[in-house]
Amino acid sequence: MRVSRAAALLVPLVVVTLAATACTPGPAAHHGAHAPAASASQELPYDVRPLIQPPKKYFGVSRPKVPTSMKPVDAYAEMVGRKPNLIGYYADWGDGFDATGVRNAWSVGALTVVSWEAQDISLTDIADGVSDDYLKDYARAARRLNIPFAISFADEMNGNWETWGTTRTTPQETVRAWRHIHDVFEDADATNVIWAWSPTMPGGHRAGDVRALFEGVTAAPDIIGFTWFDHKARADWRLSVNPEGLAEFKRLAARDLHGFDVRKAG
């Protein structure tokens, strides 16, 4: 799964494409996205393949306090006229796995995307295994939950404003760290994890940009959804501050192309 905020479309969002970057379940993996989750002792590894070949495009959002609370998601759904089924949130390297948040999103038919940010450690140290005890604990916690979610590691790595960005880290080290993390999760048999890639070219959220977003996601078969970054951060990305952009967003979101219950995919 690749995530982009937003590479070719120049809008403040996360565009999600899912590919063969999920850990591959073994031949004994037996259930698809519709099956209930249980403990690892009761369930075989989760098969996420139905979620990376969904019946419709994902329709997502990232807002403050989610998915610990889903009330901001409910308010967003009321504002734009469609219920999101992809929920993004940000976590620092060293934070524990938010099993409760992943459950909260899944319980309402949404997939969680965790943007995992290496704030206080270099990507070289991660690739060299310096924090493997933490990483292995996180992977085991994800496996125990056995509910699908996505991880986007070191988002906006092609920008120069993050500590893991282009001024301090080479592309080779970024790839090496990403592969090491992926391998640890694979060793833990955490096949419920879908892997995301999140480069950046953020822009304004005028109506034209919103239209370009929807048209681009619709036209590209390998892009299966997006998550709107509905935050006030370096700039104010919230849809609510631009009535023209919000109106266009609501108009395009009303089409039947977007949104589905992730628990029933496949």
Side-chain angles (χ1 to χ4, degrees):
M1 170 173 160
R2 185 190 66 203
V3 179
S4 155
R5 189 200 298 168
L9 301 176
L10 301 177
V11 287
L13 48 89
V14 176
V15 172
V16 179
T17 64
L18 299 172
T21 50
C23 294
T24 304
H30 70 289
H31 63 281
H34 59 280
S39 68
S41 62
Q42 296 172 313
E43 289 281 352
L44 294 174
Y46 208 103
D47 183 357
V48 299
R49 286 174 291 189
L51 290 168
I52 60 177
Q53 296 177 332
K56 297 181 181 181
K57 304 278 188 177
Y58 285 91
F59 180 81
V61 69
S62 173
R63 298 193 105 190
K65 300 181 180 179
V66 302
T68 302
S69 170
M70 295 298 288
K71 290 182 179 179
V73 176
D74 295 339
Y76 182 82
E78 184 175 354
M79 177 176 70
V80 302
R82 182 172 291 279
K83 177 182 176 181
N85 67 341
L86 194 65
I87 307 299
Y89 82 94
Y90 292 79
D92 290 337
W93 192 259
D95 288 352
F97 174 56
D98 186 6
T100 299
V102 173
R103 283 194 198 98
N104 287 346
W106 187 257
S107 69
V108 295
L111 184 73
T112 301
V113 181
V114 182
S115 289
W116 209 0
E117 300 187 324
Q119 296 285 2
D120 298 313
I121 186 171
S122 71
L123 299 196
T124 298
D125 282 348
I126 291 174
D128 288 343
V130 170
S131 56
D132 269 9
D133 287 345
Y134 161 66
L135 187 55
K136 290 175 181 178
D137 284 345
Y138 198 106
R140 285 191 291 263
R143 171 64 182 90
R144 283 194 300 271
L145 180 64
N146 212 24
I147 292 175
F149 71 100
I151 291 177
S152 167
F153 173 69
D155 60 318
E156 302 181 346
M157 80 299 289
N158 59 325
N160 61 9
W161 48 85
E162 304 288 9
T163 58
W164 56 87
T166 55
T167 58
R168 303 190 191 183
T169 305
T170 66
Q172 292 78 13
E173 286 302 277
T174 301
V175 171
R176 197 165 72 92
W178 189 96
R179 286 176 172 167
H180 180 71
I181 294 168
H182 178 274
D183 289 348
V184 169
F185 276 76
E186 194 166 62
D187 289 344
D189 207 16
T191 62
N192 53 311
V193 177
I194 300 168
W195 295 93
W197 197 242
S198 307
T200 183
M201 290 178 67
H205 52 241
R206 299 179 302 272
D209 296 327
V210 168
R211 195 175 308 114
L213 161 64
F214 279 90
E215 289 176 354
V217 172
T218 300
D222 63 335
I223 297 180
I224 62 171
F226 69 89
T227 297
W228 187 271
F229 183 72
D230 202 56
H231 293 256
K232 183 179 182 181
R234 296 185 191 92
D236 196 342
W237 308 121
R238 294 173 299 173
L239 282 169
S240 60
V241 303
N242 189 298
E244 183 184 7
L246 174 58
E248 185 67 356
F249 194 96
K250 290 177 67 174
R251 183 183 74 82
L252 295 168
R255 296 180 300 177
D256 194 44
L257 177 67
H258 303 279
F260 58 95
D261 189 327
V262 298
R263 298 167 297 180
K264 300 175 182 178

